[in-house]
Coordinates of all heavy atoms in Angstrom, one line a residue:
M37 N 104.3 117.9 110.6 CA 103.5 116.8 111.1 C 104.0 115.5 110.4 O 105.1 115.5 109.7 CB 102.0 117.0 110.6 CG 101.8 116.8 109.0 SD 100.1 117.0 108.7 CE 99.6 115.3 108.8
K38 N 103.5 114.3 110.8 CA 103.9 113.0 110.4 C 103.2 112.7 109.1 O 102.2 113.1 108.9 CB 103.7 112.0 111.5 CG 104.7 112.1 112.7 CD 104.2 111.1 113.7 CE 105.1 111.2 114.9 NZ 104.8 110.2 115.9
C39 N 104.0 111.7 108.4 CA 103.4 111.2 107.2 C 102.2 110.4 107.6 O 102.3 109.7 108.6 CB 104.4 110.4 106.5 SG 103.8 109.4 105.1
L40 N 101.1 110.5 106.8 CA 100.1 109.8 107.3 C 100.0 108.2 107.0 O 99.4 107.4 107.6 CB 98.7 110.4 106.6 CG 98.3 111.8 107.0 CD1 97.5 112.5 105.9 CD2 97.7 111.8 108.3
I41 N 101.0 108.1 106.1 CA 101.2 106.7 105.7 C 102.2 105.8 106.5 O 101.9 105.0 107.1 CB 101.5 106.6 104.1 CG1 100.4 107.1 103.3 CG2 101.8 105.0 103.8 CD1 100.8 107.4 101.9
C42 N 103.4 106.4 106.5 CA 104.5 105.7 107.2 C 104.9 106.3 108.5 O 105.8 105.8 109.2 CB 105.7 105.6 106.3 SG 106.6 107.0 106.0
H43 N 104.3 107.4 108.9 CA 104.6 108.2 110.1 C 106.0 108.7 110.3 O 106.5 109.1 111.5 CB 104.3 107.2 111.4 CG 102.9 106.7 111.4 ND1 101.8 107.5 111.5 CD2 102.5 105.4 111.0 CE1 100.8 106.7 111.3 NE2 101.1 105.5 111.1
A44 N 106.7 108.8 109.2 CA 108.0 109.6 109.2 C 107.7 111.1 109.3 O 106.6 111.4 108.8 CB 108.7 109.2 108.0
V45 N 108.8 111.8 109.7 CA 108.5 113.2 109.8 C 108.5 113.7 108.3 O 109.3 113.4 107.4 CB 109.8 113.9 110.4 CG1 109.6 115.4 110.4 CG2 109.8 113.5 111.9
S46 N 107.4 114.5 107.9 CA 107.3 114.9 106.6 C 106.6 116.4 106.6 O 106.2 116.9 107.7 CB 106.3 114.0 105.9 OG 105.2 113.8 106.5
N47 N 106.5 116.9 105.4 CA 106.0 118.3 105.2 C 104.6 118.2 104.9 O 104.3 117.5 103.8 CB 106.8 119.2 104.3 CG 108.3 119.3 104.8 OD1 108.6 119.6 106.0 ND2 109.2 119.2 103.8
T48 N 103.9 119.0 105.6 CA 102.4 119.2 105.0 C 102.5 120.4 104.0 O 102.9 121.5 104.4 CB 101.5 119.5 106.1 OG1 101.5 118.4 107.0 CG2 100.1 119.7 105.6
V49 N 102.3 120.2 102.9 CA 102.5 121.2 101.7 C 101.4 122.2 101.8 O 101.6 123.4 101.7 CB 102.8 120.5 100.4 CG1 102.9 121.6 99.3 CG2 103.8 119.5 100.4
H50 N 100.2 121.6 102.0 CA 99.0 122.4 101.8 C 97.9 121.8 102.5 O 97.7 120.6 102.4 CB 98.7 122.5 100.4 CG 97.7 123.7 100.1 ND1 97.9 125.0 100.0 CD2 96.2 123.6 99.9 CE1 96.8 125.6 99.9 NE2 95.8 124.8 99.7
V51 N 97.1 122.6 103.2 CA 95.9 122.1 103.8 C 94.7 122.8 103.3 O 94.6 124.1 103.5 CB 95.9 122.2 105.3 CG1 94.6 121.7 106.0 CG2 97.1 121.4 106.0
A52 N 93.8 122.1 102.6 CA 92.6 122.7 102.0 C 91.4 122.4 102.9 O 91.6 121.6 103.8 CB 92.6 122.3 100.5
E53 N 90.2 122.8 102.5 CA 89.2 122.5 103.2 C 88.9 120.9 103.2 O 88.5 120.3 104.2 CB 87.9 123.2 102.6 CG 86.8 123.4 103.8 CD 85.6 124.2 103.2 OE1 86.0 125.2 102.7 OE2 84.5 123.6 103.4
D54 N 89.1 120.3 102.1 CA 88.6 118.9 101.9 C 89.8 118.0 101.9 O 89.5 116.7 101.8 CB 87.9 118.8 100.5 CG 86.6 119.6 100.4 OD1 86.2 119.8 101.6 OD2 86.2 119.9 99.3
W55 N 91.1 118.5 101.9 CA 92.2 117.5 101.9 C 93.5 118.1 102.4 O 93.6 119.3 102.3 CB 92.4 117.0 100.4 CG 92.3 118.0 99.3 CD1 91.4 118.3 98.5 CD2 93.5 118.9 98.9 NE1 91.7 119.4 97.7 CE2 93.0 119.7 97.9 CE3 94.7 118.9 99.4 CZ2 93.9 120.7 97.3 CZ3 95.6 119.9 98.8 CH2 95.1 120.8 97.7
S56 N 94.3 117.3 102.6 CA 95.8 117.8 103.0 C 96.7 117.2 102.1 O 96.6 116.0 101.8 CB 96.1 117.3 104.5 OG 95.1 117.9 105.4
E57 N 97.7 118.0 101.7 CA 98.8 117.5 100.9 C 100.0 117.3 101.5 O 100.5 118.3 102.3 CB 99.0 118.5 99.6 CG 100.0 117.9 98.5 CD 100.1 118.8 97.3 OE1 99.1 119.3 97.0 OE2 101.1 118.9 96.9
V58 N 100.6 116.2 101.4 CA 101.8 115.8 102.3 C 103.0 115.4 101.4 O 102.7 114.7 100.4 CB 101.5 114.8 103.2 CG1 102.7 114.2 104.0 CG2 100.4 115.0 104.2
A59 N 104.2 115.8 101.7 CA 105.4 115.4 100.9 C 106.2 114.6 101.9 O 106.7 115.2 102.9 CB 106.1 116.6 100.4
C60 N 106.4 113.3 101.7 CA 107.1 112.5 102.6 C 108.4 112.0 101.8 O 108.3 111.5 100.7 CB 106.2 111.3 102.9 SG 107.2 109.9 103.7
S61 N 109.5 112.3 102.4 CA 110.8 111.8 101.8 C 111.2 110.5 102.2 O 112.2 110.0 101.8 CB 111.9 112.9 102.2 OG 112.0 113.0 103.6
A62 N 110.5 109.8 103.1 CA 110.8 108.4 103.5 C 110.4 107.4 102.6 O 110.6 106.2 102.7 CB 110.2 108.2 104.9
G63 N 109.7 107.9 101.5 CA 109.4 106.8 100.4 C 108.0 106.9 99.9 O 107.7 106.3 98.9
C64 N 107.2 107.8 100.5 CA 105.8 107.9 100.0 C 105.6 108.9 99.0 O 104.7 108.8 98.2 CB 104.8 108.1 101.2 SG 105.0 107.0 102.5
G65 N 106.5 109.9 99.0 CA 106.4 110.9 98.0 C 105.3 112.0 98.3 O 105.0 112.1 99.5
R66 N 104.8 112.6 97.3 CA 103.7 113.6 97.4 C 102.4 113.1 97.3 O 102.1 112.4 96.2 CB 104.1 114.6 96.4 CG 103.8 115.9 96.7 CD 104.3 117.0 95.8 NE 103.8 118.2 95.9 CZ 104.5 119.4 96.3 NH1 105.7 119.3 96.4 NH2 103.8 120.6 96.4
F67 N 101.5 113.3 98.1 CA 100.2 112.7 97.8 C 99.2 113.6 98.8 O 99.5 114.3 99.5 CB 100.0 111.3 98.5 CG 100.3 111.1 99.9 CD1 99.5 111.2 100.9 CD2 101.7 111.0 100.2 CE1 99.8 111.1 102.2 CE2 102.0 110.8 101.6 CZ 101.1 111.0 102.7
R68 N 97.8 113.4 98.4 CA 96.7 114.1 99.2 C 95.9 113.1 99.8 O 95.6 112.0 99.3 CB 96.0 115.0 98.2 CG 96.7 116.2 97.7 CD 95.9 116.9 96.7 NE 96.8 117.9 96.0 CZ 96.3 118.8 95.1 NH1 95.1 118.5 94.5 NH2 97.1 119.8 94.6
V69 N 95.4 113.5 101.1 CA 94.5 112.5 101.8 C 93.2 113.4 102.1 O 93.3 114.5 102.6 CB 95.1 112.0 103.0 CG1 94.0 111.0 103.7 CG2 96.4 111.4 102.7
S70 N 92.0 112.9 101.7 CA 90.9 113.6 102.0 C 90.6 113.9 103.5 O 91.0 113.0 104.3 CB 89.7 112.9 101.3 OG 89.1 111.9 102.2
A71 N 90.1 115.0 103.8 CA 89.9 115.3 105.2 C 88.9 114.3 105.9 O 89.1 113.9 107.1 CB 89.4 116.8 105.4
N72 N 87.9 113.9 105.2 CA 87.1 112.9 105.6 C 87.8 111.6 106.1 O 87.5 111.1 107.1 CB 86.0 112.5 104.7 CG 84.9 113.6 104.7 OD1 84.7 114.3 105.6 ND2 84.1 113.6 103.6
L73 N 88.7 111.2 105.2 CA 89.4 110.0 105.6 C 90.3 110.1 106.8 O 90.4 109.3 107.6 CB 90.2 109.6 104.3 CG 91.2 108.4 104.5 CD1 90.4 107.1 104.9 CD2 91.9 108.0 103.2
I74 N 91.0 111.2 106.8 CA 91.8 111.4 108.0 C 91.0 111.4 109.3 O 91.4 110.8 110.3 CB 92.6 112.8 107.9 CG1 93.6 112.9 106.8 CG2 93.3 113.2 109.2 CD1 94.1 114.2 106.5
K75 N 89.9 112.1 109.2 CA 89.0 112.1 110.3 C 88.6 110.8 110.9 O 88.7 110.3 111.9 CB 87.7 113.0 110.1 CG 87.4 113.8 111.3 CD 86.1 114.7 111.0 CE 86.5 115.9 110.1 NZ 85.2 116.5 109.8
S76 N 88.1 109.9 109.8 CA 87.5 108.7 110.2 C 88.6 107.6 110.6 O 88.4 106.8 111.3 CB 86.7 108.2 109.0 OG 87.4 107.9 107.9
M77 N 89.6 107.8 110.1 CA 90.9 106.9 110.4 C 91.2 107.3 111.9 O 91.5 106.3 112.6 CB 92.1 107.2 109.5 CG 91.9 106.5 108.3 SD 93.3 106.7 107.1 CE 94.6 105.6 107.9
K78 N 91.3 108.4 112.2 CA 91.6 108.8 113.7 C 90.5 108.3 114.5 O 90.9 107.8 115.7 CB 91.8 110.3 113.8 CG 93.2 110.7 113.3 CD 93.3 112.3 113.5 CE 94.9 112.7 113.0 NZ 94.8 114.1 112.8
G79 N 89.3 108.4 114.2 CA 88.2 108.0 115.0 C 88.3 106.5 115.3 O 87.9 106.0 116.4
R80 N 88.7 105.7 114.3 CA 88.7 104.3 114.3 C 90.0 103.7 114.7 O 90.3 102.5 114.7 CB 88.2 103.6 113.0 CG 86.9 104.0 112.6 CD 86.5 103.5 111.2 NE 85.2 103.9 110.7 CZ 84.5 103.3 109.9 NH1 84.9 102.1 109.5 NH2 83.5 103.9 109.4
N81 N 91.1 104.6 114.7 CA 92.4 104.1 115.1 C 92.9 103.2 114.0 O 93.5 102.1 114.3 CB 92.4 103.4 116.4 CG 93.8 103.6 117.1 OD1 94.6 104.4 116.6 ND2 94.1 103.0 118.2
E82 N 92.7 103.5 112.7 CA 93.1 102.7 111.6 C 94.5 103.2 111.1 O 94.8 104.4 111.3 CB 92.0 102.8 110.5 CG 90.8 102.1 110.9 CD 89.6 102.2 109.9 OE1 89.7 103.0 108.9 OE2 88.7 101.3 109.9
S83 N 95.0 102.4 110.2 CA 96.3 102.9 109.7 C 96.4 102.4 108.2 O 95.7 101.3 107.8 CB 97.6 102.5 110.4 OG 97.5 101.0 110.6
F84 N 97.3 103.0 107.5 CA 97.5 102.6 106.1 C 98.4 101.3 106.1 O 99.3 101.1 106.9 CB 98.3 103.7 105.3 CG 97.3 104.7 104.8 CD1 97.4 105.9 105.5 CD2 96.4 104.6 103.8 CE1 96.6 107.1 105.0 CE2 95.5 105.6 103.5 CZ 95.6 106.8 104.0
D85 N 98.1 100.5 105.1 CA 99.2 99.5 104.8 C 100.2 100.1 104.0 O 100.0 100.5 102.9 CB 98.5 98.3 104.1 CG 99.4 97.1 103.7 OD1 100.5 97.4 103.2 OD2 99.0 96.1 103.9
I86 N 101.5 100.3 104.5 CA 102.5 101.1 103.9 C 102.7 100.6 102.4 O 102.7 101.4 101.6 CB 103.8 101.3 104.7 CG1 103.4 101.8 106.1 CG2 104.8 102.0 104.1 CD1 104.6 101.8 107.2
E87 N 103.2 99.3 102.4 CA 103.5 98.8 101.1 C 102.5 98.9 100.0 O 102.8 99.5 98.9 CB 103.9 97.3 101.2 CG 105.2 97.1 101.9 CD 106.4 97.7 101.1 OE1 106.4 97.7 99.9 OE2 107.2 98.5 101.8
R88 N 101.3 98.6 100.5 CA 100.0 98.6 99.4 C 99.9 100.2 99.2 O 99.4 100.3 98.0 CB 98.9 98.0 100.2 CG 98.0 97.3 99.2 CD 96.7 96.7 99.9 NE 97.1 95.7 100.9 CZ 96.3 95.3 101.8 NH1 95.0 95.6 101.6 NH2 96.6 94.4 102.6
T89 N 99.8 101.0 100.1 CA 99.5 102.4 99.8 C 100.6 103.0 98.9 O 100.3 103.6 98.0 CB 99.5 103.2 101.2 OG1 98.5 102.5 102.0 CG2 99.1 104.5 100.7
R90 N 101.8 102.7 99.1 CA 103.0 103.2 98.2 C 102.8 102.7 96.8 O 103.1 103.5 95.7 CB 104.3 102.9 98.8 CG 104.7 103.7 100.0 CD 106.0 103.3 100.5 NE 106.3 104.1 101.7 CZ 107.4 103.9 102.4 NH1 108.3 103.0 102.1 NH2 107.7 104.8 103.4
Q91 N 102.4 101.3 96.7 CA 102.1 100.8 95.4 C 101.0 101.5 94.6 O 101.1 101.8 93.5 CB 101.8 99.3 95.6 CG 102.2 98.5 94.4 CD 103.4 97.5 94.7 OE1 103.3 96.9 95.8 NE2 104.4 97.5 93.9
W92 N 100.0 101.7 95.4 CA 98.9 102.4 94.9 C 99.2 103.7 94.4 O 98.8 104.2 93.3 CB 97.7 102.4 95.9 CG 96.5 103.0 95.5 CD1 95.5 102.3 94.9 CD2 96.0 104.4 95.6 NE1 94.4 103.2 94.6 CE2 94.8 104.5 95.0 CE3 96.6 105.5 96.0 CZ2 94.0 105.6 94.8 CZ3 95.9 106.8 95.9 CH2 94.7 106.8 95.2
L93 N 100.0 104.5 95.2 CA 100.4 105.9 94.8 C 101.2 105.8 93.6 O 101.0 106.6 92.7 CB 101.2 106.6 95.9 CG 100.4 106.9 97.3 CD1 101.3 107.4 98.3 CD2 99.5 108.1 96.8
K94 N 102.2 104.8 93.5 CA 103.0 104.8 92.2 C 102.1 104.6 91.1 O 102.4 105.2 90.0 CB 103.8 103.5 92.5 CG 105.2 103.5 91.8 CD 106.1 102.4 92.3 CE 107.0 102.0 91.3 NZ 107.8 100.8 91.7
M95 N 101.1 103.6 91.1 CA 100.2 103.4 90.0 C 99.4 104.6 89.7 O 99.3 105.0 88.5 CB 99.2 102.4 90.4 CG 99.6 100.9 89.9 SD 98.6 99.7 90.7 CE 96.9 100.4 90.7
S96 N 98.9 105.3 90.7 CA 98.1 106.5 90.5 C 98.9 107.7 89.8 O 98.2 108.4 89.1 CB 97.4 106.9 91.7 OG 96.8 105.9 92.4
R97 N 100.1 107.7 90.1 CA 100.9 108.9 89.6 C 101.0 108.7 88.0 O 101.3 109.7 87.4 CB 102.3 108.8 90.1 CG 102.2 109.4 91.6 CD 103.6 109.7 92.1 NE 103.3 110.3 93.6 CZ 103.6 109.4 94.6 NH1 104.1 108.2 94.5 NH2 103.4 109.9 95.9
N98 N 100.6 107.7 87.4 CA 100.6 107.6 86.0 C 99.5 108.7 85.4 O 99.7 109.1 84.3 CB 100.2 106.3 85.5 CG 101.4 105.3 85.8 OD1 102.6 105.7 85.7 ND2 101.0 104.0 85.9
D99 N 98.4 108.8 86.1 CA 97.4 109.6 85.7 C 97.5 110.9 86.4 O 97.0 111.9 85.8 CB 96.0 108.9 86.0 CG 95.8 107.6 85.4 OD1 96.4 107.5 84.2 OD2 95.4 106.7 86.1
E100 N 97.9 110.9 87.7 CA 97.7 112.1 88.6 C 99.1 112.3 89.3 O 99.4 111.5 90.1 CB 96.6 112.0 89.5 CG 96.4 113.0 90.5 CD 96.1 114.4 89.9 OE1 95.2 114.5 89.1 OE2 96.9 115.3 90.1
P101 N 99.9 113.3 89.2 CA 101.2 113.5 89.7 C 101.0 113.6 91.3 O 101.9 113.0 92.0 CB 101.7 114.9 89.3 CG 100.8 115.2 88.1 CD 99.6 114.5 88.2
V102 N 99.9 114.1 91.8 CA 99.7 114.1 93.2 C 98.4 113.5 93.6 O 97.3 114.2 93.6 CB 99.8 115.6 93.8 CG1 99.6 115.5 95.4 CG2 101.0 116.3 93.4
P103 N 98.4 112.2 93.7 CA 97.1 111.4 93.8 C 96.5 111.8 95.1 O 97.0 112.0 96.1 CB 97.5 109.9 93.9 CG 99.0 110.0 93.5 CD 99.5 111.3 93.8
L104 N 95.1 111.8 95.1 CA 94.3 112.0 96.3 C 93.7 110.7 96.7 O 93.1 110.0 96.0 CB 93.1 113.0 95.9 CG 92.1 113.2 97.0 CD1 92.5 114.0 98.3 CD2 90.8 113.9 96.5
I105 N 94.0 110.4 98.0 CA 93.5 109.2 98.6 C 92.1 109.6 99.3 O 92.2 110.2 100.3 CB 94.5 108.6 99.6 CG1 95.9 108.5 99.0 CG2 93.9 107.3 100.2 CD1 97.0 108.0 100.0
S106 N 91.2 109.0 98.6 CA 89.8 109.3 99.2 C 89.4 108.0 100.1 O 90.0 106.9 100.2 CB 88.8 109.3 98.1 OG 88.6 108.1 97.4
R107 N 88.3 108.3 100.9 CA 87.7 107.3 101.8 C 87.4 106.0 100.9 O 87.7 104.9 101.4 CB 86.6 107.8 102.5 CG 85.7 106.8 103.4 CD 86.4 106.8 104.7 NE 86.2 105.4 105.3 CZ 86.9 105.0 106.3 NH1 87.8 105.6 106.9 NH2 86.8 103.8 106.9
Y108 N 87.0 106.2 99.7 CA 86.7 105.2 98.8 C 87.9 104.3 98.4 O 87.8 103.0 98.7 CB 86.0 105.6 97.6 CG 85.6 104.5 96.6 CD1 84.6 103.7 96.7 CD2 86.6 104.4 95.5 CE1 84.3 102.7 95.8 CE2 86.3 103.3 94.6 CZ 85.2 102.5 94.8 OH 85.0 101.5 93.8
D109 N 88.9 104.9 98.1 CA 90.1 104.3 97.7 C 90.7 103.4 99.0 O 91.2 102.4 98.8 CB 91.2 105.2 97.2 CG 90.9 105.9 96.1 OD1 90.4 105.3 95.2 OD2 91.1 107.2 96.0
Y110 N 90.6 104.2 100.1 CA 91.0 103.5 101.2 C 90.4 102.2 101.6 O 90.9 101.1 101.8 CB 91.0 104.5 102.5 CG 91.4 103.9 103.9 CD1 92.7 103.7 104.2 CD2 90.4 103.5 104.7 CE1 93.0 103.2 105.3 CE2 90.7 103.1 105.9 CZ 92.1 102.8 106.1 OH 92.4 102.3 107.5
N111 N 89.0 102.2 101.5 CA 88.2 101.2 101.8 C 88.5 99.9 100.8 O 88.4 98.7 101.2 CB 86.7 101.4 101.8 CG 86.3 102.1 103.2 OD1 86.9 101.9 104.1 ND2 85.3 102.9 103.1
V112 N 88.6 100.3 99.5 CA 88.7 99.4 98.4 C 90.1 98.7 98.5 O 90.3 97.5 98.2 CB 88.4 99.9 97.1 CG1 88.6 99.0 96.0 CG2 86.9 100.3 97.1
A113 N 91.2 99.5 98.5 CA 92.5 99.1 98.2 C 93.5 99.1 99.3 O 94.5 98.5 99.3 CB 93.0 99.7 97.1
L114 N 93.2 100.0 100.4 CA 94.3 100.3 101.2 C 94.2 100.0 102.7 O 95.1 100.2 103.5 CB 94.5 101.9 101.0 CG 94.7 102.4 99.6 CD1 94.9 103.8 99.6 CD2 96.1 101.7 99.0
L115 N 93.0 99.6 103.1 CA 92.8 99.4 104.5 C 93.7 98.2 105.0 O 93.8 97.3 104.4 CB 91.4 99.0 104.7 CG 90.8 98.6 106.1 CD1 91.0 99.9 107.0 CD2 89.5 98.2 106.1
H116 N 94.3 98.6 106.2 CA 95.3 97.5 106.6 C 94.5 96.4 107.4 O 93.7 96.7 108.3 CB 96.3 98.2 107.6 CG 97.2 97.3 108.3 ND1 98.3 96.8 107.5 CD2 97.3 96.7 109.3 CE1 99.1 96.0 108.3 NE2 98.5 95.8 109.4
R117 N 94.6 95.3 106.9 CA 93.9 94.2 107.6 C 95.0 93.2 108.1 O 95.7 92.5 107.4 CB 92.9 93.4 106.6 CG 91.8 94.3 106.2 CD 90.9 93.4 105.5 NE 89.6 94.2 105.1 CZ 89.4 94.9 104.0 NH1 90.4 94.9 103.2 NH2 88.3 95.6 103.8
D118 N 94.8 92.9 109.5 CA 95.6 92.0 110.0 C 95.2 90.6 109.9 O 95.9 89.6 109.7 CB 95.9 92.2 111.6 CG 96.8 93.4 111.8 OD1 97.7 93.5 111.0 OD2 96.4 94.2 112.7
T119 N 93.9 90.4 109.9 CA 93.3 89.0 109.7 C 92.5 89.0 108.5 O 92.2 90.0 107.9 CB 92.3 88.8 111.0 OG1 91.4 89.9 111.0 CG2 93.1 88.8 112.2
G120 N 91.9 87.9 108.1 CA 91.1 87.7 106.9 C 91.9 86.9 105.9 O 91.5 85.9 105.6
E121 N 92.9 87.6 105.2 CA 93.4 86.8 104.1 C 94.0 85.6 104.4 O 93.8 84.7 103.7 CB 94.6 87.9 103.5 CG 93.9 88.9 102.6 CD 94.9 89.9 102.2 OE1 96.0 89.5 101.8 OE2 94.7 91.0 102.3
K122 N 94.7 85.5 105.5 CA 95.4 84.2 105.9 C 94.4 83.2 106.4 O 94.6 82.1 105.9 CB 96.5 84.6 107.0 CG 97.7 85.1 106.4 CD 98.7 85.4 107.4 CE 99.9 86.1 106.8 NZ 100.7 86.8 107.8
S123 N 93.4 83.6 107.1 CA 92.5 82.7 107.5 C 91.5 82.0 106.4 O 90.7 81.3 106.6 CB 91.6 83.2 108.7 OG 91.0 84.3 108.3
A124 N 91.5 82.8 105.3 CA 90.6 82.4 104.2 C 91.1 81.3 103.3 O 90.5 81.0 102.2 CB 90.4 83.8 103.4
I125 N 92.3 80.8 103.6 CA 92.9 79.8 102.8 C 92.0 78.5 102.9 O 91.7 78.0 104.1 CB 94.3 79.4 103.2 CG1 95.2 80.7 102.9 CG2 94.9 78.2 102.4 CD1 96.6 80.5 103.6
A126 N 91.6 77.9 101.9 CA 90.8 76.7 101.9 C 91.6 75.5 102.4 O 92.7 75.4 102.1 CB 90.3 76.4 100.5
P127 N 91.0 74.8 103.4 CA 91.6 73.7 104.1 C 92.2 72.6 103.0 O 93.0 71.9 103.2 CB 90.7 73.1 105.0 CG 89.4 73.7 104.7 CD 89.7 74.9 103.9
S128 N 91.3 72.4 101.9 CA 91.7 71.4 101.0 C 93.0 71.7 100.2 O 93.6 70.7 99.9 CB 90.5 71.3 100.0 OG 90.5 72.6 99.2
R129 N 93.4 72.9 100.2 CA 94.6 73.2 99.5 C 95.8 72.5 100.1 O 96.6 72.1 99.4 CB 94.8 74.8 99.4 CG 95.7 75.2 98.2 CD 96.3 76.5 98.5 NE 95.3 77.6 98.0 CZ 95.4 78.9 97.9 NH1 96.6 79.3 98.7 NH2 94.7 79.7 97.5
S130 N 95.8 72.4 101.3 CA 97.0 71.9 102.1 C 97.1 70.4 101.8 O 98.1 69.7 102.0 CB 97.0 72.3 103.5 OG 95.9 71.8 104.2
R131 N 96.0 69.9 101.5 CA 96.0 68.3 101.4 C 96.6 67.9 100.0 O 96.9 66.8 99.7 CB 94.7 67.8 101.5 CG 94.1 68.0 102.9 CD 92.8 67.2 103.2 NE 92.4 67.4 104.5 CZ 91.5 66.6 105.1 NH1 90.9 65.7 104.4 NH2 91.0 66.9 106.3
Q132 N 96.5 68.8 99.0 CA 97.0 68.5 97.7 C 98.5 68.2 97.8 O 99.3 69.0 98.4 CB 96.8 69.7 96.8 CG 95.4 70.1 96.7 CD 94.8 69.8 95.2 OE1 95.6 70.0 94.3 NE2 93.5 69.8 95.2
P133 N 98.9 67.1 97.1 CA 100.3 66.8 97.1 C 101.2 67.9 96.4 O 100.7 68.3 95.4 CB 100.5 65.4 96.5 CG 99.2 65.4 95.7 CD 98.2 66.2 96.4
L134 N 102.4 68.3 96.9 CA 103.1 69.2 96.3 C 103.8 68.6 95.0 O 104.6 67.6 95.3 CB 104.1 69.8 97.2 CG 103.6 70.8 98.2 CD1 104.7 71.1 99.3 CD2 103.0 72.0 97.6
T135 N 103.6 69.1 93.9 CA 104.4 68.7 92.8 C 105.6 69.5 92.6 O 105.5 70.6 92.1 CB 103.4 68.7 91.6 OG1 102.9 70.0 91.5 CG2 102.4 67.6 91.6
S136 N 106.7 68.9 92.9 CA 108.0 69.6 92.7 C 108.5 69.3 91.3 O 107.9 68.4 90.6 CB 108.9 69.1 93.8 OG 109.1 67.7 93.8
D137 N 109.5 69.9 91.0 CA 110.0 69.7 89.7 C 109.4 70.8 88.8 O 108.7 70.6 88.0 CB 109.9 68.4 88.9 CG 111.1 67.8 88.7 OD1 112.2 68.6 88.6 OD2 111.2 66.5 88.6
Ligands
ZN1291 ZN1 105.6 108.4 104.3

């Protein structure tokens, strides 16, 4: 099957009742995704932010060699948002003179 994060061809190592373990050689490494998250992502046509998710996995591997991405983690840190951050820039910021040097 495909990597759930970057969609490269990858190996599904193990499928349990509550999660699937995937080994992606394209850069994501080994991780687990909760079955609930997979289901709800498919239902809503959502996708991972690849860079953010890989970063998150890297950090999580300090504690857990094969991190489990839960629905909670996804909502808090990993949901791919096209809009929002950029439009949230305060208009006053652009009026401030740029101090170079
Ligand atoms: Zn991948």
